[in-house]
Amino acid sequence: MIEDNPLSVGDFSEAFGTWKSAPRKKTISNPYIHRLQQRHFLLFDVLPIIGTVAAFAFLWVRPFGLLEFVLLFAMWLVTGLGVTVGYHRLFTHRTFKAAPWVVDILVVLGSMAGQGAVVSWVALHRRHHEYSDREGDPHSPNLSGTGFRGAVRGLAHSHFLWMRRHEYPNIVHYAPDLIKDRRLVRVARQYYWWVALGLLIPAVLGGLISMSWTGAVSGLLWGGFARMFLLEHIVWAINSFLHMFGTRPYDSRENSRNGGVFALVTLGESWHNNHHAFPESPSFGLDWYRLDPGYWLIRTLAATGLAWDLKLPSEARMAAKRLA
């Protein structure tokens, strides 16, 4: 599900001049892009690990309490919903439409997760669906050989290591709808500032609520870096483990699986086979009894008139793809 890519629209322009002059190749690879990928990998994939270690070390100064839990949980929830509802269901798969200010908020919240600028994220995830578990898939766990060693290499690659360096999907080819949306591009250009805001908010709240510098540092570490670490590894597990393990109720051309036991912690993303079978659906659970918090938010927005045109698959189509 989740793509981690550093390039913003501005980065793409700097690398290739302008979108219109960029060659219509599906992927582009050059030293400039690889440097950006390595920088993003260090800042937003490796640094949260260091920050999480620092959070545990800081327990000697300030114990983990209610304030730290609330900041960690609240920041995880809003940024996670920004990714699953915004980046994934709205911008990548266009499973519904939303009011302009809702779109803006989803761009900001998704960006605060530190998993890549929205246009690049969408382009990479659309490429993943095009080549899922085949050559060209940027993070399949099933292309690294057979046997136990091949499985371990595949899981390590798909969960974490692929983000260090990979072919960059051409946004002109994969995300032309997004780069034509000037309002979205204007908000998305501030990606690094939104990531910084996602670290600043829990630090400021922690300091103000506790009226202490230790509360500010604890808020930064738990609501900022540890939250980023937790969300990243939860959603990366969908790329890795849920393309190898789990249930498979629907026919799909790749090896996607459901992990229903993780539905709440992944905000509905662990219904991964359902999603690959019906990528146009805003509901990943598909049935009311399958927990899908991301879809709950979309339904709430729809009930208030802030979202519409939800593209749910018909019962007949679901029955036709259901495996015995």
Side-chain angles (χ1 to χ4, degrees):
M1 159 208 148
I2 297 296
E3 316 305 345
D4 192 301
N5 203 292
L7 271 69
S8 66
V9 176
D11 290 329
F12 191 90
S13 298
E14 185 175 344
F16 307 111
T18 65
W19 310 319
K20 292 181 180 179
S21 64
R24 291 301 297 273
K25 298 178 180 178
K26 285 191 173 184
T27 60
I28 304 170
S29 183
N30 64 40
Y32 177 78
I33 287 178
H34 296 323
R35 285 196 299 270
L36 289 176
Q37 290 170 340
Q38 290 165 5
R39 182 183 71 183
H40 192 275
F41 180 73
L42 292 173
L43 285 176
F44 302 131
D45 302 329
V46 175
L47 185 58
I49 298 175
I50 299 172
T52 302
V53 173
F56 281 98
F58 198 69
L59 292 176
W60 291 99
V61 178
R62 180 184 174 90
F64 186 89
L66 180 61
L67 175 62
E68 287 74 19
F69 172 78
V70 170
L71 290 175
L72 172 63
F73 178 80
M75 291 300 296
W76 163 79
L77 181 62
V78 297
T79 57
L81 288 171
V83 173
T84 182
V85 175
Y87 272 34
H88 197 191
R89 307 188 202 208
L90 176 57
F91 302 128
T92 301
H93 295 292
R94 297 301 195 184
T95 64
F96 66 99
K97 296 177 182 176
W101 67 268
V102 173
V103 171
D104 294 345
I105 289 176
L106 289 173
V107 173
V108 172
L109 294 179
S111 298
M112 285 165 58
Q115 296 183 10
V118 62
V119 177
S120 293
W121 197 102
V122 166
L124 197 53
H125 192 69
R126 287 176 178 176
R127 181 169 175 82
H128 162 64
H129 272 263
E130 182 180 10
Y131 293 99
S132 188
D133 285 326
R134 296 175 294 159
E135 289 299 328
D137 186 344
H139 47 64
S140 172
N142 298 307
L143 303 175
S144 300
T146 58
F148 178 75
R149 293 182 63 183
V152 171
R153 283 197 301 266
L155 286 172
H157 166 78
S158 62
H159 188 81
F160 190 68
L161 297 179
W162 72 274
M163 291 173 284
R164 296 175 301 172
R165 174 175 174 152
H166 55 85
E167 289 189 330
Y168 180 71
N170 188 342
I171 64 174
V172 178
H173 176 81
Y174 283 103
D177 53 325
L178 297 190
I179 61 178
K180 291 176 183 177
D181 187 337
R182 293 185 178 182
R183 177 174 177 142
L184 182 145
V185 168
R186 187 165 57 250
V187 178
R189 277 182 180 274
Q190 310 306 317
Y191 167 67
Y192 289 101
W193 290 108
W194 301 136
V195 176
L197 181 64
L199 299 174
L200 181 63
I201 288 174
V204 171
L205 289 176
L208 291 177
I209 294 172
S210 68
M211 295 302 294
S212 67
W213 71 268
T214 59
V217 174
S218 194
L220 171 65
L221 293 176
W222 289 105
F225 291 115
R227 173 267 306 173
M228 191 178 291
F229 170 85
L230 179 65
L231 179 60
E232 285 176 340
H233 285 274
I234 286 173
V235 296
W236 292 343
I238 297 164
N239 286 343
S240 54
F241 291 97
L242 289 185
H243 274 262
M244 294 187 74
F245 309 105
T247 60
R248 187 175 168 81
Y250 292 102
D251 180 40
S252 59
R253 64 182 180 178
E254 76 302 304
N255 198 40
S256 60
R257 306 287 172 138
N258 284 344
V261 68
F262 305 111
L264 283 179
V265 75
T266 62
L267 303 177
E269 290 284 346
S270 66
W271 302 111
H272 199 52
N273 174 253
N274 294 1
H275 166 58
H276 269 272
F278 308 100
E280 77 286 356
S281 173
S283 170
F284 290 175
L286 297 178
D287 296 299
W288 66 267
Y289 54 86
R290 293 193 173 98
L291 304 177
D292 186 353
Y295 183 56
W296 299 344
L297 175 58
I298 296 171
R299 285 296 301 268
T300 300
L301 292 172
T304 57
L306 296 173
W308 59 92
D309 197 16
L310 280 62
K311 303 179 179 67
L312 294 166
S314 66
E315 289 293 335
R317 185 160 178 260
M318 291 168 58
K321 299 197 74 171
R322 189 173 290 117
L323 296 173

